[in-house]
Amino acid sequence: MWLLTVVVTLLFCQLYDRWTPAQWGTPVHYDGDSLEVLARIKAAAEGDLAPLLPQTVGRLGAPGEANWNEYPGTDAWANFVLGQVARVTGVAAASNLALWFAHLSAALVFYGWVRLLGHRREWALTGALLFAFSYFSFNRGLPHLWLVFTWQVPLILLTTWLIGGSGRWLQQRWARWLCVGTAVALGASNPYNLFLYLQLLAWALVAAWCRPDAKLNRRMGASCMAAALAMFALTHLPVWLYHDDEGGQPLLARNYAGTEIYALKPIELVLPPSDHRVGLLASLGSRYVRWSDWRGETFAPYLGLIGGAGLFWLMAELALRLATRRGLRPGAPGLQALWILLFSSIGGINSILAFYFGLQVFRATNRYSIFLLALALYFLMARLSTLSRRWPVPVRWGTAAGILVLGLWDQVPRSVSTGARLDCAREFAADRSLGAVLESQLAPGALVFQLPIMDFPEGNPRHLLKAYDHFRVYLATETTRFSFGTRKGRASGNWRHDYERMPPADLVQALEAAGFDAVLLDPAGYAKPEHREFLVAELSSRARQLDTGEDSRLLFRLQPVAQPQLPLALGPTFGQGWHSRFRPREGYPQLGFVPSSPPSKPPQWYQRETPRPGLGAERSTRRFSDVTRSEQIRWAHGDAVLMYQNPRDEPLLVRVELWLSAPDERRLEMRHNRVKVGELNLDEYPRLLEVDLLLQPGHNRIDLVTDRRAVRVSEQRWSLRAFALHELVWVIN
């Protein structure tokens, strides 16, 4: 074990270029999803994200706090432990230690698996290193940190073999503890691994039920399944206990298409990546990128030459055993590999479950390729261990070393260029410098409003500003609070989009009234220079611009009022039941409302001017269309929800005007917090529904309920129509 630990550590330092304290203090990746991973570690280090407690981040979502209860991390317990490490080492060093431990733990567990089942040391070492440094792990890296922790995979396979086997192993106490411990660990970690574990465990129980003498196996299998599910429920308790903003759209958009895009494509198991060391093999990957239109996490499933050969040998032996009436029964590795292929492949069992039963959450089944790699490497090492039994020791070790060198040379990506590493280090250092400047010029705990507004999680980029780039200043500071990090599509944070649309003069006044101390503007988020220059000039004329050194981001000092009030959204948030806004492209069928003949008299709102959002009596008119412009109508595909968060301690009186139509004649009923407040008969012409609402402090839900099912107007996506919202007027008195 010590030799394996040393080898893994040296390989890690070489492959990631982590030889000096300065390199260990810089993350290996500082972009995209890696920023969210680092932010979670930072939040855990500051005591915000802890298992079983409300998942709120105090320094994000200013002036309140970022509520992530609906967006739990996949490994809350491990992230919490890593956060405690970060208190001592810093976030960047903790992320590097986590990557190192991910490779080390995978190697140690795989080695123990092969040795426990009686195979030779040299082959166990070879398989362990090939598994620990798989292309899968390098492809995931820091952006998918917890997927790199593949140590669970050998334990899943081993424990399901024990439960589905003869029962001899389970007579020993350590084996029973191993099975239960694995189940508990899986319940507290990545749900993808748990999902496949439950499938393999179910098949192991089927095998145990087929033998009348396997009562212990059946009891252990049922106990493990119960332990895994109980731990999963306990880990995700905050999701159910602290859920708010009822009626909101799902934070993470998942649909059937995702199960095809991110499904396991068998060709990708043996398809070399486009950056392969060998030009001929790299050209195959490049051709795949050019020719394939339906790609997800491309090249991540690549097994490598050694893993691919092992899988081919495994499946060939399985086919031979299934085809031969007399002979050995099919072994567990082959049957499990066959099930994983049938379940995970595009159009396979997972796609059937998603299409017919709505189980779309486990869309990225290409991630199960790591199970195929583990099975292939185990099978190959076991067969080579048997074949080389009579070989001289130097020949065995030499052959194993040759296979190891070939496998690592094939599956380890080319080293990141020195320039790219330096760029990453410079960006990290620049953020640290900006953070130091920001905290030196603002009081501890100051509130900073970040522009442009970015949605979280999985928001869309804004020009050159990527989805999680606003996390950078959070990572570089210790006390400052930032507006980024609130959940998208939730009433509690929708005011940020309203404020961004304000004229700069009104924006400054509104932010100061809400208690903000500064505005941090990132020019990378603005595509049009004239827009950016106008915004900077207007902010500079109303707020003092602070020096940020050579950093491109601009900081403007505000003068917050002595008694700030929490900001009010200028209108409601669209929740469940609504299609997203849709603009038909040329040549596509028109999906919006087009009246067969114009109304005899234009409705009142047709010529109404949209008032500018003010700061006194807030009046917001949200126009989605007029009679002749159908592409911006907001359609509902059934009963639909509007949400509003009243942050004040007293109720708010709101005048609501909704212009609505429907593709047929139907009745619509409005309910506020489940109480009926209005109703309207709809047809193809827009009609007005006027209601006065008393919004209570906290979350308010408005349901629009129809008495008929939606109508499908075409076979295109988003063509299910229940009713349309043409204009919404929201006046706070």
Side-chain angles (χ1 to χ4, degrees), residues 192-222:
Y192 270 93
N193 288 350
L194 173 63
F195 187 44
L196 187 58
Y197 168 72
L198 294 175
Q199 297 172 41
L200 299 180
L201 183 59
W203 283 115
L205 282 171
V206 170
W209 276 104
C210 294
R211 295 194 311 275
D213 59 340
K215 293 183 179 179
L216 178 60
N217 299 58
R218 295 194 288 270
R219 288 201 302 269
M220 282 305 305

mmCIF file of all heavy atoms in Angstrom, residues 192-222:
data_model
loop_
_atom_site.group_PDB
_atom_site.id
_atom_site.type_symbol
_atom_site.label_atom_id
_atom_site.label_comp_id
_atom_site.label_asym_id
_atom_site.label_seq_id
_atom_site.Cartn_x
_atom_site.Cartn_y
_atom_site.Cartn_z
ATOM 1 N N TYR A 192 -26.066 9.669 -8.686
ATOM 2 C CA TYR A 192 -25.885 8.812 -9.864
ATOM 3 C C TYR A 192 -25.359 7.438 -9.450
ATOM 4 O O TYR A 192 -25.857 6.398 -9.895
ATOM 5 C CB TYR A 192 -24.923 9.472 -10.851
ATOM 6 C CG TYR A 192 -25.595 10.360 -11.859
ATOM 7 C CD1 TYR A 192 -25.739 11.722 -11.610
ATOM 8 C CD2 TYR A 192 -26.093 9.862 -13.050
ATOM 9 C CE1 TYR A 192 -26.361 12.562 -12.528
ATOM 10 C CE2 TYR A 192 -26.711 10.689 -13.972
ATOM 11 C CZ TYR A 192 -26.844 12.036 -13.715
ATOM 12 O OH TYR A 192 -27.466 12.851 -14.621
ATOM 13 N N ASN A 193 -24.321 7.429 -8.605
ATOM 14 C CA ASN A 193 -23.769 6.155 -8.152
ATOM 15 C C ASN A 193 -24.780 5.387 -7.317
ATOM 16 O O ASN A 193 -24.889 4.160 -7.413
ATOM 17 C CB ASN A 193 -22.494 6.398 -7.349
ATOM 18 C CG ASN A 193 -21.330 6.839 -8.214
ATOM 19 O OD1 ASN A 193 -21.405 6.796 -9.442
ATOM 20 N ND2 ASN A 193 -20.254 7.267 -7.598
ATOM 21 N N LEU A 194 -25.532 6.103 -6.492
ATOM 22 C CA LEU A 194 -26.557 5.446 -5.682
ATOM 23 C C LEU A 194 -27.612 4.800 -6.571
ATOM 24 O O LEU A 194 -28.061 3.672 -6.298
ATOM 25 C CB LEU A 194 -27.201 6.462 -4.745
ATOM 26 C CG LEU A 194 -28.402 5.970 -3.940
ATOM 27 C CD1 LEU A 194 -27.997 4.851 -2.997
ATOM 28 C CD2 LEU A 194 -29.047 7.117 -3.169
ATOM 29 N N PHE A 195 -28.022 5.488 -7.625
ATOM 30 C CA PHE A 195 -29.059 4.969 -8.513
ATOM 31 C C PHE A 195 -28.622 3.650 -9.163
ATOM 32 O O PHE A 195 -29.387 2.678 -9.191
ATOM 33 C CB PHE A 195 -29.374 6.015 -9.574
ATOM 34 C CG PHE A 195 -30.541 5.682 -10.456
ATOM 35 C CD1 PHE A 195 -31.710 5.170 -9.936
ATOM 36 C CD2 PHE A 195 -30.477 5.888 -11.835
ATOM 37 C CE1 PHE A 195 -32.800 4.865 -10.747
ATOM 38 C CE2 PHE A 195 -31.540 5.589 -12.654
ATOM 39 C CZ PHE A 195 -32.710 5.074 -12.108
ATOM 40 N N LEU A 196 -27.395 3.608 -9.661
ATOM 41 C CA LEU A 196 -26.924 2.368 -10.281
ATOM 42 C C LEU A 196 -26.674 1.292 -9.233
ATOM 43 O O LEU A 196 -26.924 0.099 -9.480
ATOM 44 C CB LEU A 196 -25.650 2.632 -11.085
ATOM 45 C CG LEU A 196 -25.157 1.435 -11.914
ATOM 46 C CD1 LEU A 196 -26.228 0.969 -12.895
ATOM 47 C CD2 LEU A 196 -23.870 1.788 -12.664
ATOM 48 N N TYR A 197 -26.213 1.687 -8.064
ATOM 49 C CA TYR A 197 -26.013 0.718 -6.986
ATOM 50 C C TYR A 197 -27.320 0.018 -6.635
ATOM 51 O O TYR A 197 -27.348 -1.218 -6.448
ATOM 52 C CB TYR A 197 -25.451 1.444 -5.765
ATOM 53 C CG TYR A 197 -25.471 0.630 -4.487
ATOM 54 C CD1 TYR A 197 -24.597 -0.433 -4.300
ATOM 55 C CD2 TYR A 197 -26.363 0.938 -3.460
ATOM 56 C CE1 TYR A 197 -24.613 -1.173 -3.120
ATOM 57 C CE2 TYR A 197 -26.385 0.212 -2.282
ATOM 58 C CZ TYR A 197 -25.506 -0.844 -2.116
ATOM 59 O OH TYR A 197 -25.530 -1.570 -0.954
ATOM 60 N N LEU A 198 -28.409 0.766 -6.544
ATOM 61 C CA LEU A 198 -29.700 0.161 -6.221
ATOM 62 C C LEU A 198 -30.134 -0.823 -7.303
ATOM 63 O O LEU A 198 -30.743 -1.869 -7.008
ATOM 64 C CB LEU A 198 -30.752 1.250 -6.031
ATOM 65 C CG LEU A 198 -30.551 2.173 -4.822
ATOM 66 C CD1 LEU A 198 -31.596 3.278 -4.816
ATOM 67 C CD2 LEU A 198 -30.599 1.378 -3.521
ATOM 68 N N GLN A 199 -29.824 -0.511 -8.558
ATOM 69 C CA GLN A 199 -30.154 -1.441 -9.646
ATOM 70 C C GLN A 199 -29.354 -2.739 -9.522
ATOM 71 O O GLN A 199 -29.913 -3.846 -9.599
ATOM 72 C CB GLN A 199 -29.868 -0.787 -10.989
ATOM 73 C CG GLN A 199 -30.689 0.450 -11.288
ATOM 74 C CD GLN A 199 -30.219 1.156 -12.531
ATOM 75 O OE1 GLN A 199 -29.893 0.516 -13.532
ATOM 76 N NE2 GLN A 199 -30.161 2.476 -12.494
ATOM 77 N N LEU A 200 -28.040 -2.596 -9.344
ATOM 78 C CA LEU A 200 -27.194 -3.796 -9.235
ATOM 79 C C LEU A 200 -27.529 -4.585 -7.977
ATOM 80 O O LEU A 200 -27.485 -5.824 -7.974
ATOM 81 C CB LEU A 200 -25.725 -3.385 -9.235
ATOM 82 C CG LEU A 200 -25.230 -2.660 -10.498
ATOM 83 C CD1 LEU A 200 -23.759 -2.310 -10.372
ATOM 84 C CD2 LEU A 200 -25.468 -3.509 -11.745
ATOM 85 N N LEU A 201 -27.875 -3.868 -6.909
ATOM 86 C CA LEU A 201 -28.261 -4.550 -5.677
ATOM 87 C C LEU A 201 -29.567 -5.311 -5.874
ATOM 88 O O LEU A 201 -29.741 -6.425 -5.345
ATOM 89 C CB LEU A 201 -28.396 -3.528 -4.554
ATOM 90 C CG LEU A 201 -28.720 -4.067 -3.162
ATOM 91 C CD1 LEU A 201 -27.645 -5.035 -2.693
ATOM 92 C CD2 LEU A 201 -28.865 -2.915 -2.166
ATOM 93 N N ALA A 202 -30.494 -4.726 -6.625
ATOM 94 C CA ALA A 202 -31.751 -5.428 -6.894
ATOM 95 C C ALA A 202 -31.503 -6.713 -7.666
ATOM 96 O O ALA A 202 -32.107 -7.762 -7.364
ATOM 97 C CB ALA A 202 -32.691 -4.505 -7.678
ATOM 98 N N TRP A 203 -30.602 -6.679 -8.654
ATOM 99 C CA TRP A 203 -30.272 -7.898 -9.384
ATOM 100 C C TRP A 203 -29.567 -8.910 -8.480
ATOM 101 O O TRP A 203 -29.774 -10.133 -8.624
ATOM 102 C CB TRP A 203 -29.400 -7.575 -10.590
ATOM 103 C CG TRP A 203 -30.153 -7.006 -11.745
ATOM 104 C CD1 TRP A 203 -30.041 -5.768 -12.287
ATOM 105 C CD2 TRP A 203 -31.154 -7.683 -12.526
ATOM 106 N NE1 TRP A 203 -30.901 -5.605 -13.343
ATOM 107 C CE2 TRP A 203 -31.605 -6.778 -13.516
ATOM 108 C CE3 TRP A 203 -31.722 -8.950 -12.482
ATOM 109 C CZ2 TRP A 203 -32.579 -7.107 -14.440
ATOM 110 C CZ3 TRP A 203 -32.708 -9.283 -13.408
ATOM 111 C CH2 TRP A 203 -33.124 -8.370 -14.368
ATOM 112 N N ALA A 204 -28.741 -8.435 -7.554
ATOM 113 C CA ALA A 204 -28.098 -9.345 -6.605
ATOM 114 C C ALA A 204 -29.141 -10.024 -5.717
ATOM 115 O O ALA A 204 -29.033 -11.226 -5.404
ATOM 116 C CB ALA A 204 -27.087 -8.581 -5.758
ATOM 117 N N LEU A 205 -30.169 -9.281 -5.323
ATOM 118 C CA LEU A 205 -31.241 -9.878 -4.525
ATOM 119 C C LEU A 205 -32.033 -10.901 -5.333
ATOM 120 O O LEU A 205 -32.477 -11.925 -4.794
ATOM 121 C CB LEU A 205 -32.165 -8.776 -4.009
ATOM 122 C CG LEU A 205 -31.646 -7.975 -2.811
ATOM 123 C CD1 LEU A 205 -32.538 -6.784 -2.528
ATOM 124 C CD2 LEU A 205 -31.561 -8.879 -1.583
ATOM 125 N N VAL A 206 -32.215 -10.632 -6.627
ATOM 126 C CA VAL A 206 -32.879 -11.618 -7.483
ATOM 127 C C VAL A 206 -32.079 -12.914 -7.502
ATOM 128 O O VAL A 206 -32.638 -14.026 -7.394
ATOM 129 C CB VAL A 206 -33.055 -11.054 -8.904
ATOM 130 C CG1 VAL A 206 -33.510 -12.155 -9.867
ATOM 131 C CG2 VAL A 206 -34.057 -9.915 -8.900
ATOM 132 N N ALA A 207 -30.752 -12.791 -7.643
ATOM 133 C CA ALA A 207 -29.902 -13.983 -7.627
ATOM 134 C C ALA A 207 -29.995 -14.703 -6.287
ATOM 135 O O ALA A 207 -30.014 -15.948 -6.231
ATOM 136 C CB ALA A 207 -28.453 -13.601 -7.927
ATOM 137 N N ALA A 208 -30.060 -13.930 -5.191
ATOM 138 C CA ALA A 208 -30.157 -14.556 -3.872
ATOM 139 C C ALA A 208 -31.498 -15.257 -3.681
ATOM 140 O O ALA A 208 -31.572 -16.313 -3.042
ATOM 141 C CB ALA A 208 -29.951 -13.488 -2.792
ATOM 142 N N TRP A 209 -32.576 -14.679 -4.223
ATOM 143 C CA TRP A 209 -33.890 -15.303 -4.089
ATOM 144 C C TRP A 209 -33.969 -16.620 -4.852
ATOM 145 O O TRP A 209 -34.808 -17.478 -4.531
ATOM 146 C CB TRP A 209 -34.977 -14.362 -4.591
ATOM 147 C CG TRP A 209 -35.420 -13.365 -3.564
ATOM 148 C CD1 TRP A 209 -35.096 -12.052 -3.499
ATOM 149 C CD2 TRP A 209 -36.241 -13.630 -2.424
ATOM 150 N NE1 TRP A 209 -35.655 -11.462 -2.398
ATOM 151 C CE2 TRP A 209 -36.376 -12.414 -1.713
ATOM 152 C CE3 TRP A 209 -36.879 -14.778 -1.931
ATOM 153 C CZ2 TRP A 209 -37.109 -12.310 -0.543
ATOM 154 C CZ3 TRP A 209 -37.622 -14.673 -0.766
ATOM 155 C CH2 TRP A 209 -37.734 -13.456 -0.087
ATOM 156 N N CYS A 210 -33.125 -16.776 -5.846
ATOM 157 C CA CYS A 210 -33.136 -18.017 -6.627
ATOM 158 C C CYS A 210 -32.479 -19.173 -5.886
ATOM 159 O O CYS A 210 -32.542 -20.319 -6.367
ATOM 160 C CB CYS A 210 -32.437 -17.808 -7.972
ATOM 161 S SG CYS A 210 -33.303 -16.659 -9.071
ATOM 162 N N ARG A 211 -31.828 -18.900 -4.756
ATOM 163 C CA ARG A 211 -31.185 -19.965 -3.978
ATOM 164 C C ARG A 211 -31.849 -20.034 -2.612
ATOM 165 O O ARG A 211 -31.830 -19.046 -1.859
ATOM 166 C CB ARG A 211 -29.693 -19.689 -3.805
ATOM 167 C CG ARG A 211 -28.908 -19.719 -5.102
ATOM 168 C CD ARG A 211 -27.402 -19.788 -4.810
ATOM 169 N NE ARG A 211 -26.998 -18.793 -3.835
ATOM 170 C CZ ARG A 211 -26.686 -17.530 -4.147
ATOM 171 N NH1 ARG A 211 -26.755 -17.131 -5.407
ATOM 172 N NH2 ARG A 211 -26.323 -16.682 -3.215
ATOM 173 N N PRO A 212 -32.429 -21.163 -2.261
ATOM 174 C CA PRO A 212 -33.136 -21.265 -0.976
ATOM 175 C C PRO A 212 -32.217 -21.156 0.233
ATOM 176 O O PRO A 212 -32.680 -20.880 1.342
ATOM 177 C CB PRO A 212 -33.800 -22.647 -1.045
ATOM 178 C CG PRO A 212 -33.010 -23.407 -2.054
ATOM 179 C CD PRO A 212 -32.524 -22.412 -3.048
ATOM 180 N N ASP A 213 -30.906 -21.366 0.055
ATOM 181 C CA ASP A 213 -29.983 -21.339 1.187
ATOM 182 C C ASP A 213 -29.346 -19.963 1.378
ATOM 183 O O ASP A 213 -28.353 -19.840 2.105
ATOM 184 C CB ASP A 213 -28.883 -22.378 0.984
ATOM 185 C CG ASP A 213 -28.092 -22.140 -0.301
ATOM 186 O OD1 ASP A 213 -28.614 -21.437 -1.190
ATOM 187 O OD2 ASP A 213 -26.962 -22.655 -0.405
ATOM 188 N N ALA A 214 -29.877 -18.934 0.734
ATOM 189 C CA ALA A 214 -29.240 -17.608 0.771
ATOM 190 C C ALA A 214 -30.060 -16.632 1.603
ATOM 191 O O ALA A 214 -30.239 -15.470 1.216
ATOM 192 C CB ALA A 214 -29.047 -17.086 -0.653
ATOM 193 N N LYS A 215 -30.560 -17.081 2.752
ATOM 194 C CA LYS A 215 -31.350 -16.184 3.600
ATOM 195 C C LYS A 215 -30.519 -15.010 4.100
ATOM 196 O O LYS A 215 -30.994 -13.875 4.148
ATOM 197 C CB LYS A 215 -31.929 -16.962 4.782
ATOM 198 C CG LYS A 215 -32.964 -18.000 4.382
ATOM 199 C CD LYS A 215 -33.545 -18.688 5.614
ATOM 200 C CE LYS A 215 -34.606 -19.718 5.211
ATOM 201 N NZ LYS A 215 -35.159 -20.411 6.408
ATOM 202 N N LEU A 216 -29.277 -15.282 4.484
ATOM 203 C CA LEU A 216 -28.412 -14.211 4.959
ATOM 204 C C LEU A 216 -28.171 -13.183 3.856
ATOM 205 O O LEU A 216 -28.159 -11.971 4.112
ATOM 206 C CB LEU A 216 -27.083 -14.790 5.451
ATOM 207 C CG LEU A 216 -26.046 -13.766 5.939
ATOM 208 C CD1 LEU A 216 -26.604 -12.953 7.101
ATOM 209 C CD2 LEU A 216 -24.750 -14.473 6.345
ATOM 210 N N ASN A 217 -27.978 -13.647 2.632
ATOM 211 C CA ASN A 217 -27.776 -12.729 1.510
ATOM 212 C C ASN A 217 -28.986 -11.820 1.324
ATOM 213 O O ASN A 217 -28.844 -10.611 1.095
ATOM 214 C CB ASN A 217 -27.527 -13.517 0.224
ATOM 215 C CG ASN A 217 -26.293 -14.383 0.302
ATOM 216 O OD1 ASN A 217 -26.184 -15.245 1.177
ATOM 217 N ND2 ASN A 217 -25.359 -14.186 -0.608
ATOM 218 N N ARG A 218 -30.167 -12.405 1.426
ATOM 219 C CA ARG A 218 -31.368 -11.606 1.233
ATOM 220 C C ARG A 218 -31.527 -10.573 2.346
ATOM 221 O O ARG A 218 -31.911 -9.427 2.094
ATOM 222 C CB ARG A 218 -32.591 -12.520 1.157
ATOM 223 C CG ARG A 218 -32.588 -13.441 -0.066
ATOM 224 C CD ARG A 218 -33.947 -14.069 -0.280
ATOM 225 N NE ARG A 218 -34.242 -15.076 0.712
ATOM 226 C CZ ARG A 218 -33.933 -16.379 0.597
ATOM 227 N NH1 ARG A 218 -33.286 -16.809 -0.482
ATOM 228 N NH2 ARG A 218 -34.267 -17.231 1.538
ATOM 229 N N ARG A 219 -31.240 -10.979 3.570
ATOM 230 C CA ARG A 219 -31.337 -10.028 4.677
ATOM 231 C C ARG A 219 -30.324 -8.897 4.525
ATOM 232 O O ARG A 219 -30.641 -7.728 4.751
ATOM 233 C CB ARG A 219 -31.120 -10.746 6.009
ATOM 234 C CG ARG A 219 -32.270 -11.631 6.440
ATOM 235 C CD ARG A 219 -32.216 -11.888 7.934
ATOM 236 N NE ARG A 219 -30.945 -12.509 8.315
ATOM 237 C CZ ARG A 219 -30.734 -13.827 8.364
ATOM 238 N NH1 ARG A 219 -31.725 -14.662 8.059
ATOM 239 N NH2 ARG A 219 -29.575 -14.310 8.726
ATOM 240 N N MET A 220 -29.118 -9.243 4.125
ATOM 241 C CA MET A 220 -28.094 -8.209 3.953
ATOM 242 C C MET A 220 -28.449 -7.280 2.796
ATOM 243 O O MET A 220 -28.249 -6.053 2.879
ATOM 244 C CB MET A 220 -26.732 -8.852 3.702
ATOM 245 C CG MET A 220 -26.052 -9.385 4.949
ATOM 246 S SD MET A 220 -25.866 -8.126 6.239
ATOM 247 C CE MET A 220 -24.989 -6.853 5.359
ATOM 248 N N GLY A 221 -28.955 -7.850 1.713
ATOM 249 C CA GLY A 221 -29.339 -7.016 0.574
ATOM 250 C C GLY A 221 -30.434 -6.038 0.933
ATOM 251 O O GLY A 221 -30.369 -4.839 0.588
ATOM 252 N N ALA A 222 -31.462 -6.513 1.661
ATOM 253 C CA ALA A 222 -32.550 -5.630 2.080
ATOM 254 C C ALA A 222 -32.048 -4.575 3.066
ATOM 255 O O ALA A 222 -32.452 -3.405 3.002
ATOM 256 C CB ALA A 222 -33.670 -6.456 2.707
#
